[in-house]
Each structure stands twice: as C-alpha cells, then as structure tokens.
Amino acid sequence: METGKSPADVVRKPTPSPKTIIFQKFGTKACYKVEEVHESAEIGCPGLAIPQKGPCLYRCSLQLPEISVVSGTFKKKKDAEQSAAEMAIEKLGIQISTNSPTLQEASDELDARLTFLFSNEFLSTLHPLSGHLRAALEREGDLNGLVPVSVMVVCDSKLGNICKCINPKVESNPFLVIPLIMRAATRLSGLVATSEGQLSIWRQNSYPPEIIESSVNQQSGFSQSTSVEAIRIPCSLEKDVELVTLDISSTGYYLDVIAKNLDLADAAKLLISRTIGKASSETRLYFAAHQSYLLDLSLDHLNANEALHSEVSLNTRASYFSGQDIYGDAILASIGYTWRSKDLFYEDISVQSYYRMLISKIPSGIYKLSREAVLTAELPLAFTTRTNWRGSLPRDVLFTFCRQHRLSEPVFSTISTPLKALSDSPGSSKKLKVTESAEEEAHRANGGAISTDARESVESAVTYQCKVKIFSKFQHLIIECFPKDSFKKQNDSIQNTSLKVLSWLNTYFKDLDLPSEKLNSTANVLDVQFSHENFLKEFVLCRSIHNVHHTETQGVKFLEPNTMSMLNTMPEQGVHYLNIEGPDSGVCPSNGSLLCISYSVYLVTEGENMKEILESSNEFEFEFEIGVGAVIPHIEAVVSQMSIGQSACFKMELAPKEFILAAAVDSARNLSLLSSKSCCLEYSITLLRVTEPLEDRMEQAFFSPPLSKQRVEYAVQHIKETRATTLVDFGCGSGSLLDSLLNYPTALEKIVGVDISQKSLSRAAKTLHSKLSKNIDADSPISSMDSAILYDGSITDFDSRLCGFDIGTCLEVIEHMEEDQACLFGDVVLSSFCPNILIVSTPNYEYNVILQKSSLPSQEEDPDEKTQSQSCKFRNHDHKFEWTREQFNRWAAELATKHNYSVEFSGVGGSADLEPGFASQIAVFKRISLPQGEGLLKDANSEHHYNVIWEWNRSTTSSS
C-alpha cells in the first residue's frame, strides 16, 4: 500500500485568498453586496412541458474606491464573493507573489508583525490578542503589562504562519513558535522585552495614557468576581479527572488564576494548547512549562519534546485531546478573548462535557452525540436510504472523526459507469455488470468535498462506485477504501463507502487489543486497506485512553439473579428482568421498519436502593430503523417483541464508563454509584409508532434480484417472444419500467408512458431523454427505438392515440386505485385501447405472511371490519387493496371473458407450486379478436384526453 511522501522541509508561504488580498489593500473600504438570482432551470430535457424551478444562485457586486465589479452566479455566497474579489484583482492588475520568502524575509516579516501587535493602534482593535494585552495592563506590580508568549502563539494565526515559513516543524509542534518569538523580541529590544527564565513578553515603553484610557476602560470584564468550572486532567492515568473552580475577579488576569491551579506563581510559565473541538471554540488545555523547557534561546534547533520528556511524564489524556505533547497535569477550560467582543468569554466545562469530548474521538461516539442518545443509539451497520437515516450522515461523521484526530479531510473519488445490458437469455437473473473504470471524477477541492456542481448522469443510466482515502496532516496515506458495490445514486455510494471505513474504525476502537489478524480480516471484509505503520502512529494514544475507561466497569458485579426467571430474560442478548406491559395491538415492527419510541435509562444499584436517571428522550420522540443496528442490540431485541402502545422494562450490564459519564448530568452522583459493587443499567421503553418499510425495500430484503427487476425481465421475455414493436406502460410513474427496458436489446420502436403525476412524469422525461440521447448509435441495445412519448392523464380515461399497441403493461399499479377504479381500468384498456397483449401485476396478499413474518387473519373475518390492528398488513401505506390469488384470478378471468381475451396466470418471487404462491402475481391477457363491428383504431382526432408532457424522436435528435 502506498503511503505517500513527507513534505519537504522547505519554506512555504500560504497563498492568500482573493478576499484576503482585497482586504489587505482596501480594508473596510471594500464593500460586498450579495443578491439572490433566480434563473430558469436547466432541465436537460428538451420538450418537457412541465415548468421546472431553478436552483437558488447568488451574485456578488464588489464596490472599491477605484472600481466596481459584479461576479457571475454561484450556488454559494462565499464563492460569489471570492469571484468578485478575483475579478477586482485582475482588473486592478494586482500582482500576487507565489514565491516563498527567504528565511531573512520571513524573519523581517515576523519582526514587523510583532511591532504592529505592540503598537498603539493595535491595542484598541477587536482581536483576541489585544484582549490579553489590555488585561495585562491591569496586572499588579512587576507583572503589569507582561503577556505570556504562549498567548501570542495561540491568539494570532499570522504569527504562526510566518513562523512556519521559518521552521516547517511548527506545523506539528506549535510550541516551537515560542523560541522564534523570543529571539525576535531580542532583535526588537527598543520596542519589546523579555526576561531570562521567563516566557513573558512586554512593551518597553508604556502606552500613552489616552490610549490606555480609551482601550482598557472599554473592556468591561466582570462587574463582580465570577466562578468558571473547568476540568483538571492528572498526568497519571490512575487518577480520575476532577472538577475545579476558577475564581476570576473583575480586575485579575484569568491566566494567573489557571496558573495557580497548576501550582505556578503566575502565568509566565503557562503553556496553552490549540483549541479543542471546533476552531471557533475557546476550549484549550493549560499546563506548566517546566524548567527544562526554558532552554538556551540561542539554539537554532529547539527540541522541546526531548527536553520535557527527561523531566516530567507525558499527559496521555491531554495529549490525546489536543494532538500536541502535553506534560504534567493540565487544566481543560473554555475561556478567553474572542473576535466577537472585548469582554472575556467563558463557559463551564463539566465532567460530562469532558467525557462527551472523549467519546467524540470515536466514530460511534460522534454518531451517538449527533442523536443525543449516548446509551441508546449505535452507528448503523448499513446505509439503506437517506429517508430512514437519523443523525449525522456517514460522510459527515467521517469528516468529524478526521478533524478530531487532526488528519487531513477525506478525499473522495466517484466512478460513474454506464449500465451494461443483460445477456439476451430471457428471464436471466444475473446481476447487471459494471464495466471497468469508465470515468473517474476526483474531487479534492475544499478538503475532499464532493462538488455540488458536478454534473451527474441520470441515476438509472449509470451506477456509481466511490473510493475514499484518508491522509495524515503530512499526506501519509493511512486508510483507503474502495468497495465493489455499485449504486444508482452518487450520494449513496459516498455514504456507503464512508460507513465501511467508520465500521472498521469502530471495530478497532471497541477492542483495542484486537489481534492484527482479526483487524486485517475485518478490513478485507469491508474493502479497507490501511498502512499498519501510519495507522498505529496516528492512533498510538488511543489504546491507553479508551482501554482504561473500558476496563473501569469490567470489575463491577452485576445484580444477583435471585429472582431471575428464564421466562423474562434474553441472556444471549444480555437482557435481564424483561417485563412487557400493555395489550398486544398486533402492529409489530419488521426489518426495515422505522420505529418511534420514548425511553429512559437509569443507573441502579443492588436492591434498587439507589436509582439515578442517566438519559431520556424527554419531550422528543426517538426514531430509528430496525434491522440495521441503529440502536444497541439489547433494545433491538426487546422492541422486536413489542407492538404499538406496549411498554417494556429490562436491565442490562453496564456500558463503558466513558459512555455512562458522557450521558450523566450529575457526574459526581453517578461516579459514586459506579463505585458500588453491584449496579446495572435499567431501560424503560414505550413503542409509539411503526412505519412500515417501503415496498421496494421490503422486496429487496427478500429477493435477489429484487421483484421490480424480475417483473421487468418477465415483461422483456414477452416483448422478445412476440417481437413487439410498440409498448404502452399504464401508470408509468417515474419511468422505472421504461428506463429499465432501454437496457435490453429488443425490437421496440415506440414506447409510451401514461401517469397522473406531473412530478413523476418530469423525472421520467429527464431519465429517458438522457439515456435515449446518449444511445442512438447502431450498437446500442435501443438501436431500433424511434420515438418515446409521455402523457399526463388517468388510465381510466380513453385516448385514441394509445389504441392498438402490441403490448401494454400495468405493473404494481392497480392496488393504488380503489377497487371499482381497478375494474374500470380493466374494462377501458381491453375494450377501447385493445393492446395485443396486456401484462398486469399486483401484490399477492397471501405472501405478506412471509414478508412481514406475521399471520393472515381468519378467513371467517368480515373484510369490511379490517382494521390497522390486524396482524398482516398491506405492503405499502398507499395501497387501497391487496388481492389474494383467488380474488385476482376472478377479476382477470371475468375481464378476459367479457372482452374476447384469453388470460394466463404466473408471477415472480416464490413459486406457483408452493404455498403461498408468487409474491407478485401476474395476469397476461392475449387478444383473441376485436369486438364485432369495431375497428381497431378510432378516429385519431375523436378523443384526445391526454396531454403530451414530453416527446423524443430519433430523426429530430439525429438531425440536431
């Protein structure tokens, strides 16, 4: 596996964005104005008669003192602004230097930056560092005006960027900026000063009184002393983290308070980490710079890590959070000056916050937090549909994981491949083959984000595969995943690939002692490749951090099973003392169903003398899809035995300590309970609602190929056998059948679709137009196709333009109509449209017992008294009826006799010889003769009840 190359240790100058360049030249004189633009939609489907709404676009006008420019239209406001700035740069002839500065130039730039930061002008600006400078002026005695150098490092990014040009190692160790600033201060001895053995810097000459008056007095700070909660993280893993209180006075410097909590006299030797979590956060780690860190600043190459390691131990937990080497005890606090206000910002950090930050380093933890269900939710094992997914999407979770571990953002590449036709053998059940990599579209802009501008091919015309690579900050390849699975939607391929990577990472984090062989085999199953060396290097601290918390609850004794009965336990699922209450409503969940529950989780001790709530759905309803591992297995095992309205209570063994404390609001209380020798978790659940899975999802779970594909292949077989040249699809919907037919070589010359949904017809038009326009050569499966038309109309109305077609299809449509309308359709199509062959399919109600794992109601039940509580339900909430074989056969036989047709019965999914027959039952009507005295075609102008929505013609396409 390739691992990439390390970046050369060369001086690199960050390339400023166009907006940055404009700001540097014009400052606040540059005025951007963004407006929304509504343009006509590019439907990519000529001739479509349905108006299409275009996307919301943005245009930016930039007004400068000398010129004004207007950008083009963009999907994002920021892109429009950057475009306008770029146009202005070009119009003004501003030259952008791409050459990296020399070391001397970078040093000069560093000196100039420090000079500006200690200028009179800067003190009154709204900047995080100016807040510290103003606060330092209120320090008493010898500390007045002194600012810790580490503050300079974390508050001014420009200093950091300049220092990276001088020493590229600053990228991996930001503390290396400190000696560079200290040496720069010696060069600016007339302006700033430092003291030997201290990591502080101050302005030599005092600020003018009027500057201090106007700047410092504007900083209101606190009206009174304020207490801020923070977390002390001991260096030793054997000690628990603990809550500390920072008492910040109205005139004191908050860094001095933190320093004293670390047994330091003041903030002079205080080091500050980069931000933890979001970049906009003020959550940082504070720790002491021990004497060995105060090395001779004349050294050109400072190796702080080696110096520190010789004196004090590494704080593994703090280092894991920050991605930097932190030594000794540390304070985790959310406090500091920001760009938003001159006042000091602060917020409490609780023990719960600490553990939430800890589990946010794990894929499952990120997902659990997105659902606000730490003890209930679980990262699903499969991405079925975006509609059923709850919480952060897999791609977003993967991006968050990479940010948490300071890796480069994932790089996605999607491959779109045209579908190949199946072999000519009728009824072939082989899967559609995907050709070798036909077209790869790599999107690396914006850190691997898939461009929204990418012009996707129509979903049904191509399939998508996705590859993802994850690199370290230094571009060493760590993980690569390229699943073999293909998807009709580009987004589905991206989400599924992301989920495979997350699932593999979860395997590692759940068992950090997993043998290499097992880790490799799991990776192979999930199509993951990884570099052992690079992977272990990036996650070296994970083992000591997460293992410690996993083992802390392993010694806890579970409740004694004095009254345990095998009737109310599920030991194989880890469920004990299960009690389900309430009448059985008969509406039970099945795989693929979307469940809605309310729940509460408690921590209880032996004898239930102590019981503390940890987590609850409270006022919101918790939804999840069953069968994909979206909740912990204990809950899935219990709810699968429940029906709507029932409540259940059960106990299970403790989850890892980090998850329990991440859920618990009162951490101190729950820590004491966890120290008890016998405790467990108790769950209370009520099943509120069950939404059955979509019919096609249910079919895909039970049949391979899916029933929808089997129905298409059944129709194709009759088309080939009869050499049909014309086909009309009654109730064509989004054109799935017509689109699928274009993948097979047939003699069809004309296809027509009819439906009452303009939205569905619009999608069908785009799908068919894309495929027909790209496959007009002689070698394509649809080389014989001359025309295609889509009509807007009801299939129970007659239109003479659809008379006399070779074959008509009506697949899985009639059940969406009322029964009397289904009968009317049969009369109209066989008496007026008169196709040579009509194929009608509809669900076999008797097969639902298999699909839903339930039972049919008693045959003696009155059909008019059917309710939602009956055990066997319709496959789709939109179905008005579903017929048994006897009902369907009777309907079809009566129609055939009435209109001079013969009828044969068949089906797909299942077998006619085995109960309960086919899952999808099919009737094939064949015309015997036309009714006496009636011509096949009526007057073409007599009855045109349909509206043409879209039309394609080969001759028109070829000529254009």
Side-chain angles (χ1 to χ4, degrees):
M1 179 180 177
E2 58 176 339
T3 58
K5 297 180 180 180
S6 300
D9 288 343
V10 296
V11 176
R12 291 185 175 88
K13 182 179 181 180
T15 303
S17 68
K19 279 191 72 177
T20 301
I21 296 170
I22 292 295
F23 179 79
Q24 290 171 348
K25 187 170 181 63
F26 297 99
T28 57
K29 295 178 182 178
C31 180
Y32 294 87
K33 184 178 180 181
V34 179
E35 60 178 343
E36 289 189 12
V37 179
H38 296 282
E39 297 182 350
S40 57
E42 287 289 336
I43 58 176
C45 184
L48 183 60
I50 303 172
Q52 300 293 297
K53 183 179 180 181
C56 181
L57 302 176
Y58 298 95
R59 179 188 294 125
C60 177
S61 59
L62 171 58
Q63 184 69 45
L64 298 173
E66 304 171 28
I67 62 167
S68 62
V69 294
V70 179
S71 74
T73 55
F74 295 85
K75 289 185 177 180
K76 296 181 180 179
K77 292 181 180 180
K78 66 178 182 179
D79 292 341
E81 291 175 338
Q82 293 288 3
S83 175
E86 192 173 359
M87 292 171 66
I89 291 170
E90 184 177 352
K91 197 169 182 178
L92 291 169
I94 299 175
Q95 298 297 317
I96 305 173
S97 174
T98 57
N99 297 325
S100 297
T102 63
L103 286 175
Q104 185 58 51
E105 289 172 340
S107 294
D108 292 343
E109 195 172 344
L110 178 58
D111 293 350
R113 184 62 184 170
L114 277 176
T115 301
F116 171 71
L117 294 177
F118 282 94
S119 66
N120 296 340
E121 176 189 356
F122 181 74
L123 187 64
S124 60
T125 61
L126 186 61
H127 188 287
L129 182 55
S130 66
H132 283 273
L133 292 171
R134 291 189 293 269
L137 292 174
E138 297 193 58
R139 298 176 82 183
E140 298 178 350
D142 294 339
L143 298 178
N144 182 263
L146 273 66
V147 177
V149 179
S150 57
V151 166
M152 311 285 291
V153 178
V154 298
C155 288
D156 190 64
S157 60
K158 289 184 180 179
L159 275 179
N161 290 331
I162 295 169
C163 290
K164 288 175 187 176
C165 295
I166 299 173
N167 183 359
K169 292 181 180 178
V170 167
E171 179 69 39
S172 59
N173 185 3
F175 295 128
L176 292 178
V177 173
I178 293 177
L180 296 176
I181 293 177
M182 298 289 278
R183 285 199 286 271
T186 62
R187 296 193 297 269
L188 300 170
S189 56
L191 174 66
V192 295
T194 62
S195 63
E196 186 176 350
Q198 297 291 321
L199 294 178
S200 294
I201 188 171
W202 65 93
R203 175 168 157 148
Q204 283 275 44
N205 300 318
S206 299
Y207 290 97
E210 64 272 15
I211 296 295
I212 296 177
E213 182 71 22
S214 62
S215 300
V216 176
N217 291 345
Q218 290 178 10
Q219 188 164 316
S220 62
F222 307 111
S223 57
Q224 297 177 347
S225 296
T226 302
S227 297
V228 181
E229 290 186 352
I231 296 293
R232 185 184 186 92
I233 305 177
C235 182
S236 171
L237 288 172
E238 296 178 359
K239 296 181 180 179
D240 280 330
V241 298
E242 59 182 357
L243 195 66
V244 295
T245 301
L246 307 175
D247 294 318
I248 313 295
S249 68
S250 57
T251 57
Y253 187 30
Y254 78 91
L255 288 180
D256 288 332
V257 177
I258 294 176
K260 288 176 181 177
N261 271 272
L262 290 168
D263 301 323
L264 297 173
D266 55 62
K269 296 181 181 179
L270 191 68
L271 295 181
I272 308 173
S273 78
R274 52 167 68 105
T275 56
I276 310 296
K278 295 181 179 179
S280 59
S281 155
E282 284 302 313
T283 305
R284 301 178 188 274
L285 284 157
Y286 302 83
F287 65 105
H290 288 261
Q291 192 61 37
S292 60
Y293 194 86
L294 308 175
L295 301 176
D296 184 359
L297 297 181
S298 64
L299 292 175
D300 291 331
H301 302 288
L302 179 65
N303 193 332
N305 287 347
E306 291 183 5
L308 275 171
H309 188 65
S310 64
E311 180 176 325
V312 65
S313 299
L314 181 75
N315 189 321
T316 310
R317 286 176 289 197
S319 301
Y320 180 57
F321 273 118
S322 66
Q324 298 171 262
D325 288 340
I326 292 178
Y327 295 85
D329 291 355
I331 298 290
L332 178 68
S334 182
I335 186 170
Y337 294 101
T338 70
W339 292 90
R340 298 182 293 273
S341 170
K342 289 187 176 182
D343 293 338
L344 183 66
F345 165 85
Y346 65 93
E347 61 183 357
D348 292 336
I349 292 186
S350 61
V351 174
Q352 181 192 37
S353 303
Y354 167 84
Y355 281 101
R356 283 181 168 243
M357 292 168 64
L358 181 62
I359 69 170
S360 71
K361 308 277 280 187
I362 308 173
S364 63
I366 298 170
Y367 180 77
K368 286 170 177 284
L369 290 172
S370 76
R371 297 233 56 197
E372 286 295 327
V374 175
L375 297 175
T376 303
E378 188 57 84
L379 181 69
L381 300 174
F383 181 86
T384 52
T385 66
R386 186 160 185 162
T387 304
N388 276 13
W389 188 274
R390 297 294 184 271
S392 295
L393 291 166
R395 177 181 176 274
D396 298 332
V397 174
L398 187 58
F399 268 77
T400 301
F401 175 83
C402 290
R403 283 194 296 270
Q404 291 284 13
H405 289 273
R406 303 195 181 272
L407 306 175
S408 295
E409 290 192 336
V411 180
F412 289 91
S413 302
T414 56
I415 301 173
S416 58
T417 309
L419 287 172
K420 270 189 161 186
L422 288 176
S423 61
D424 291 343
S425 57
S428 171
S429 62
K430 293 180 181 178
K431 292 184 177 180
L432 291 175
K433 296 181 180 178
V434 179
T435 58
E436 295 291 327
S437 175
E439 175 189 357
E440 183 166 326
E441 304 165 349
H443 304 274
R444 196 157 182 165
N446 300 322
I450 297 297
S451 171
T452 54
D453 297 338
R455 297 180 179 274
E456 293 186 19
S457 302
V458 177
E459 294 168 2
S460 55
V462 297
T463 60
Y464 292 95
Q465 289 176 287
C466 178
K467 177 194 295 183
V468 65
K469 293 182 179 181
I470 298 176
F471 296 86
S472 70
K473 280 293 183 184
F474 298 106
Q475 297 307 299
H476 294 129
L477 182 58
I478 302 171
I479 299 171
E480 181 177 356
C481 180
F482 188 21
K484 306 176 183 66
D485 309 307
S486 298
F487 299 88
K488 286 188 174 183
K489 294 181 179 179
Q490 186 185 50
N491 181 63
D492 286 355
S493 69
I494 294 168
Q495 302 297 351
N496 276 277
T497 300
S498 300
L499 189 55
K500 281 181 178 287
V501 175
L502 294 170
S503 297
W504 180 73
L505 288 169
N506 248 2
T507 302
Y508 173 74
F509 279 97
K510 283 183 177 179
D511 186 1
L512 292 161
D513 293 322
L514 198 68
S516 314
E517 299 76 15
K518 180 66 175 176
L519 194 62
N520 289 330
S521 64
T522 306
N524 292 333
V525 170
L526 294 169
D527 301 308
V528 171
Q529 291 182 301
F530 68 103
S531 165
H532 284 263
E533 180 183 353
N534 294 338
F535 180 80
L536 294 177
K537 180 180 178 182
E538 292 295 332
F539 300 102
V540 64
L541 296 179
C542 298
R543 184 179 301 275
S544 54
I545 299 300
H546 293 288
N547 259 357
V548 113
H549 295 293
H550 283 157
T551 56
E552 281 177 341
T553 54
Q554 288 177 3
V556 178
K557 185 179 179 183
F558 187 65
L559 291 172
E560 293 293 338
N562 297 331
T563 58
M564 187 176 292
S565 167
M566 293 307 294
L567 295 177
N568 61 0
T569 64
M570 301 167 67
E572 65 278 3
Q573 279 87 28
V575 173
H576 303 276
Y577 300 100
L578 173 62
N579 180 32
I580 298 177
E581 296 180 344
D584 186 353
S585 66
V587 183
C588 303
S590 57
N591 280 354
S593 299
L594 193 64
L595 273 60
C596 178
I597 65 172
S598 63
Y599 73 91
S600 296
V601 188
Y602 303 89
L603 183 64
V604 299
T605 58
E606 187 172 8
E608 299 187 16
N609 295 324
M610 307 289 287
K611 184 174 181 179
E612 288 290 325
I613 188 164
L614 296 175
E615 182 175 285
S616 174
S617 57
N618 292 324
E619 297 178 359
F620 70 90
E621 297 175 344
F622 184 79
E623 289 187 324
F624 65 94
E625 182 178 358
I626 193 170
V628 296
V631 290
I632 61 172
H634 314 77
I635 291 180
E636 188 152 305
V638 170
V639 296
S640 63
Q641 299 187 32
M642 299 169 63
S643 63
I644 290 179
Q646 287 187 323
S647 297
C649 183
F650 68 90
K651 293 181 174 65
M652 58 172 277
E653 294 184 357
L654 293 175
K657 177 181 176 181
E658 56 195 277
F659 289 108
I660 293 176
L661 294 178
V665 176
D666 188 350
S667 302
R669 173 73 169 164
N670 288 288
L671 273 170
S672 66
L673 286 178
L674 282 174
S675 64
S676 168
K677 293 183 178 180
S678 297
C679 55
C680 68
L681 295 181
E682 179 181 292
Y683 283 76
S684 177
I685 300 172
T686 300
L687 182 57
L688 305 175
R689 189 169 61 251
V690 175
T691 303
E692 286 301 320
L694 296 175
E695 186 178 2
D696 56 349
R697 287 272 324 286
M698 190 188 299
E699 293 178 351
Q700 287 177 20
F702 281 85
F703 301 101
S704 181
L707 285 185
S708 57
K709 184 177 177 183
Q710 293 188 42
R711 286 190 289 267
V712 171
E713 292 176 348
Y714 187 93
V716 168
Q717 178 180 350
H718 281 272
I719 293 168
K720 289 183 174 181
E721 287 177 354
T722 59
R723 302 294 298 171
T725 60
T726 57
L727 178 141
V728 55
D729 186 22
F730 296 101
C732 65
S734 298
S736 57
L737 172 63
L738 298 176
D739 170 42
S740 299
L741 289 175
L742 299 181
N743 295 323
Y744 299 83
T746 66
L748 286 173
E749 298 173 2
K750 179 179 182 179
I751 57 174
V752 171
V754 184
D755 204 274
I756 59 172
S757 169
Q758 289 195 351
K759 185 176 181 180
S760 296
L761 289 168
S762 178
R763 289 197 295 266
K766 295 174 187 177
T767 300
L768 295 175
H769 178 82
S770 176
K771 183 172 286 188
L772 288 167
S773 299
K774 293 178 180 177
N775 294 277
I776 58 176
D777 55 277
D779 296 330
S780 72
I782 55 174
S783 57
S784 62
M785 192 67 62
D786 289 328
S787 68
I789 307 174
L790 294 177
Y791 290 106
D792 174 21
S794 170
I795 60 175
T796 58
D797 293 334
F798 174 71
D799 191 298
S800 57
R801 290 169 291 186
L802 269 61
C803 286
F805 275 61
D806 290 339
I807 193 164
T809 55
C810 184
L811 306 184
E812 309 297 289
V813 174
I814 60 172
E815 63 273 10
H816 294 272
M817 312 164 69
E818 298 295 343
E819 290 191 66
D820 59 337
Q821 291 294 300
C823 294
L824 176 59
F825 161 73
D827 286 330
V828 171
V829 71
L830 296 181
S831 66
S832 301
F833 290 118
C834 302
N836 292 334
I837 295 175
L838 174 67
I839 302 175
V840 178
S841 76
T842 192
N844 172 14
Y845 178 67
E846 296 167 87
Y847 206 90
N848 292 0
V849 295
I850 296 177
L851 296 177
Q852 300 169 14
K853 297 180 180 179
S854 54
S855 59
L856 285 171
S858 170
Q859 295 297 322
E860 286 75 27
E861 287 185 17
D862 186 345
D864 293 331
E865 293 180 357
K866 290 180 181 178
T867 67
Q868 286 295 321
S869 64
Q870 70 182 39
S871 53
C872 200
K873 302 173 291 294
F874 292 163
R875 298 183 198 177
N876 190 305
H877 65 86
D878 189 51
H879 287 184
K880 303 301 188 294
F881 66 88
E882 287 182 7
W883 282 336
T884 63
R885 286 169 290 177
E886 179 185 352
Q887 291 171 313
F888 181 61
N889 291 358
R890 183 168 62 249
W891 173 82
E894 290 175 358
L895 282 174
T897 302
K898 182 177 179 181
H899 301 291
N900 296 309
Y901 276 79
S902 64
V903 63
E904 297 175 356
F905 297 98
S906 184
V908 293
S911 171
D913 302 325
L914 298 174
E915 288 296 324
F918 292 109
S920 187
Q921 48 192 343
I922 298 176
V924 180
F925 298 87
K926 295 183 179 179
R927 194 177 70 221
I928 299 173
S929 63
L930 286 174
Q932 279 291 333
E934 231 180 280
L936 180 61
L937 296 177
K938 298 191 177 183
D939 181 1
N941 297 316
S942 60
E943 296 187 57
H944 289 185
H945 293 145
Y946 297 164
N947 296 319
V948 177
I949 291 300
W950 169 82
E951 185 171 3
W952 177 88
N953 188 283
R954 175 179 292 273
S955 59
T956 305
T957 304
S958 300
S959 62
S960 60

